Every structure is written in C-alpha cells, then in structure tokens.
C-alpha cells in the first residue's frame, strides 16, 4: 500500500499546453492551468512553457492554489556539447529548482533525438550509441548527479523517452548498470515503456529501488499501432491520441501501484499525458485521473 504521508500526487501542464507543439493549448493560460490542477485535487506540478520564470512570481501563483513544483525537464546534450556548457546550463536550472523547493530534476539526453521531428517516424529511426558515447553519457550523468545532490540537494532522475538515445529496455538496463545509484536514479514512465513495447510492470520490478520519480501515463494501443503501421512521428502520435491518463488506456496499473507500495516508494507520482486539449479537455481528464488513482491507491 502506498503511504499517503510519503507519496504526493502531481500533474504535468503538458495536458493544457504542449511544450513540443505550442499550438496545442495555445489558448490555455498559465493561470487556468494551475487553477484546474488544484481544482482536480493535485498537490504539485512540473514546469511548463507558460510558467513564469521569476521564482517569486511563480511561488506566489502556486501558493495561492496550494501547489508546488516537484520537477522540471532538463534537456542535456552530453554527446554533442562540451561538458562545461551542459554543466553551466544544468546549474542554472538546479538553482531555480532549489529556490522552488524541488528535490528532483528530470534529465533526458537530447543529442540526436527524433522525438521533436515531425517528419521522422518514431519507430526504426532512433540513434544508437556506440561504446564511447555510452561512456560519455554515463560519466557525464554521474558527474552532474553528484553536483546536483551534493551542492543543491536535488536528485538527478533519468527520463527514458521515445525517440531518444535511451528508449528501449536494454538501453535503460545499460544506463542503470553504468551509472552510480548514489547519483543517478530512474524517472519511471509507464507510458514510454509501454509505447516502445516494454512491460511497465517488469521494468518497475527490475528497478524498483532506483525509481525516484514516477510519470503515470497510459496508452491507446490502437493509436500506437497506427503510428507504427503508417510510419508516423512521435508528435503525430500525440496529436492522434496515443497517450491518455491512467485508467483510460491499456496499462494495468494495479500491480504497478502494489509494487511501488511494497518497496516503500517515496516521492511524487505525476500524471503526465500529452493530448490535444481541444479533443481531451484537460480538467475533465485531470479529474478522471485523480478519481482513478484514488480508487486504486487510496491516495
């Protein structure tokens, strides 16, 4: 059983305004987004593209709604930029998150990523690293994870993601094997594991003790099959509705919730389901997700 004193629920703003495709939800304001998050019963949020960059302005808006920032995506380019440049960018984001009281930063290596390329099919076109690139990535993550934890009190969690250099189970396996558990943890995303053909439960079983942040995301398998069959891009899949909130797709969350409870998971569980808000009303789906989680976990 998940401990309600140690597990907090949040939701990502990507359901209201899409970072990769700003036309999705262009009509939705920051104030509407965070107000509806609070109305739906969530306690936290990640940072979206319409969020104020001034920490004091953002804090004030969140405090009015009893919300807090739990994590922010960080695009690293350890394979294609000098380490010192990535470190400088990372430190700036760590300082912001520290000011906001967050204890998590979500890394995704974006060198050679095809996730944002509208014309590139998501299946069969991802970049595959060689041994030297693996060492560059894992050494860099270890160094940045040490900086994050020891200087800012923030844990580096790695977000496996469709279209990136760490997508498939064997890539997650290698990343976990070649990084220091003290400094690099897993951002476990149910939807991205299911999308690439992995079993989300199996991956949770494998890395339960390395999971420090959870993205709860469901998939519509018929849309994923269409994406594969028609050689569509990741962004095309999002527009078609490949993702949805927990309980509205094909993933069985019961054993996942049980496992996380059994291992004593502590931290945030965040609903993150990018859809076209013109087709999937964000508040409606946020309420649906919150009810589902409450029914399944008691949280």
């Amino acid at each position: 059983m998940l401990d309600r004193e140690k597990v907090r629920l949040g939701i990502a703003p990507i359901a209201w305004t899409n970072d990769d495709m700003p036309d999705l939800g262009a009509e939705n304001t920051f104030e509407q987004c965070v107000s509806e998050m609070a109305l739906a019963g969530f306690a936290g949020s990640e940072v979206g593209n319409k969020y104020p960059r001034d920490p004091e302005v953002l804090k004030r808006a969140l405090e009015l709604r009893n919300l807090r920032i739990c994590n922010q995506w960080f695009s690293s380019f350890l394979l294609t930029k000098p380490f010192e440049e990535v470190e400088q960018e990372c430190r700036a984001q760590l300082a912001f998150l520290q000011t906001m009281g967050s204890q998590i930063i979500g890394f995704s290596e974006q060198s050679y990523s095809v996730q944002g390329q509208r014309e590139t099919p998501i299946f069969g076109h991802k970049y595959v690293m060689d041994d030297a690139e693996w060492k560059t990535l894992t050494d860099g993550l270890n160094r940045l994870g040490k900086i994050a934890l020891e200087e800012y009190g923030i844990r580096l969690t790695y977000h496996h993601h469709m279209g990136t250099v760490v997508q498939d189970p064997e890539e997650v396996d290698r990343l976990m094997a070649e990084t220091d558990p003290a400094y690099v943890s897993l951002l476990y995303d149910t939807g991205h594991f299911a999308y690439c053909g992995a079993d989300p439960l199996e991956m949770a079983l494998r890395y339960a003790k390395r999971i420090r942040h959870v993205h709860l995301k469901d998939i519509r398998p018929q849309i994923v099959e269409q994406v594969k069959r028609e050689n569509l891009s990741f962004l095309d899949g999002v527009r078609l509705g490949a993702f949805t909130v927990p309980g509205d797709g094909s993933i069985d969350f019961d054993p996942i919730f049980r496992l996380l409870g059994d291992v004593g998971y502590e931290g945030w569980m965040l609903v993150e389901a990018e859809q076209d808000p013109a087709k999937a009303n964000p508040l409606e789906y946020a309420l649906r997700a919150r009810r589902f989680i409450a029914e399944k976990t008691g949280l």
Side-chain angles (χ1 to χ4, degrees):
M1 178 71 71
L2 289 162
D3 188 340
R4 66 174 56 206
E5 299 299 320
K6 297 178 179 179
V7 178
R8 287 168 288 183
L9 297 179
I11 189 166
I14 201 165
W16 283 265
T17 57
N18 193 290
D19 291 348
D20 295 321
M21 296 175 286
D23 63 297
L24 294 186
E27 71 282 3
N28 295 328
T29 65
F30 160 71
E31 289 80 8
Q32 175 188 344
C33 174
V34 291
S35 294
E36 291 184 353
M37 288 176 173
L39 183 61
F42 290 96
S45 167
E46 294 184 351
V47 179
N49 61 10
K50 292 186 179 180
Y51 281 40
R53 290 300 183 255
D54 182 329
E56 294 310 312
V57 173
L58 180 55
K59 275 184 180 180
R60 177 61 177 159
L62 296 176
E63 286 170 358
L64 286 171
R65 298 162 175 87
N66 200 27
L67 295 172
R68 58 179 296 185
I69 295 298
C70 58
N71 173 39
Q72 184 177 8
W73 169 286
F74 179 74
S75 294
S76 64
F77 291 87
L78 289 164
L79 302 182
T80 52
K81 288 183 178 181
F83 177 83
E84 293 72 20
E85 185 177 340
V86 179
E87 179 187 353
Q88 183 178 9
E89 294 168 354
C90 181
R91 283 183 179 276
Q93 187 160 317
L94 287 167
F96 171 80
L97 288 170
Q98 186 182 54
T99 300
M100 295 305 301
S102 175
Q103 297 177 316
I104 296 291
I105 185 170
F107 261 63
S108 177
E109 178 61 27
Q110 288 295 295
S111 298
Y112 312 116
S113 172
V114 301
Q115 75 178 69
Q117 297 177 10
R118 186 73 189 272
E119 304 306 318
T120 303
I122 191 61
F123 288 104
H125 290 76
K126 71 178 297 298
Y127 187 85
V128 177
M129 291 184 286
D130 61 26
D131 289 343
E133 289 169 320
W134 269 107
K135 182 168 176 53
T136 297
L137 176 61
T138 55
D139 284 355
L141 290 173
N142 283 332
R143 291 173 67 185
L144 292 171
K146 189 174 191 292
I147 289 169
L149 184 60
E150 295 184 356
E151 298 186 32
Y152 298 88
I154 293 173
R155 290 194 175 274
L156 187 160
T157 63
Y158 193 90
H159 188 347
H160 57 99
H161 196 287
M162 291 298 297
T164 70
V165 292
V166 181
Q167 167 190 289
D168 297 326
E170 57 270 23
E171 292 165 335
V172 174
D173 289 344
R174 184 163 182 176
L175 183 84
M176 293 290 98
E178 297 182 11
T179 52
D180 188 339
Y183 299 122
V184 179
S185 301
L186 181 64
L187 191 163
Y188 168 74
D189 189 303
T190 55
H192 281 281
F193 274 134
Y195 201 120
C196 74
D199 181 346
L201 176 60
E202 180 183 336
M203 299 307 293
L205 283 164
R206 198 176 303 178
Y207 296 112
K209 293 298 185 180
R210 293 286 294 270
I211 297 172
R212 292 277 183 178
H213 196 65
V214 174
H215 279 177
L216 299 175
K217 180 185 301 183
D218 216 333
I219 65 165
R220 297 183 176 101
Q222 69 276 18
I223 303 297
V224 175
E225 284 304 312
Q226 180 184 352
V227 169
K228 187 180 295 186
R229 184 177 62 252
E230 299 180 9
N231 291 316
L232 301 177
S233 68
F234 178 75
L235 300 183
D236 288 333
V238 170
R239 288 181 180 274
L240 288 170
F243 293 123
T244 186
V245 297
D248 190 48
S250 64
I251 296 174
D252 183 0
F253 282 89
D254 284 334
I256 295 171
F257 288 141
R258 280 198 301 272
L259 171 65
L260 292 173
D262 289 345
V263 300
Y265 175 76
E266 298 181 14
W268 288 90
M269 296 174 60
L270 191 108
V271 174
E272 191 213 32
E274 51 264 56
Q275 302 187 75
D276 181 348
K279 300 176 182 176
N281 180 275
L283 177 57
E284 177 186 343
Y285 276 80
L287 288 164
R288 185 181 300 185
R290 188 65 187 87
R291 285 193 297 268
F292 176 80
I293 295 168
E295 290 168 3
K296 297 295 183 179
T297 68
L299 296 174

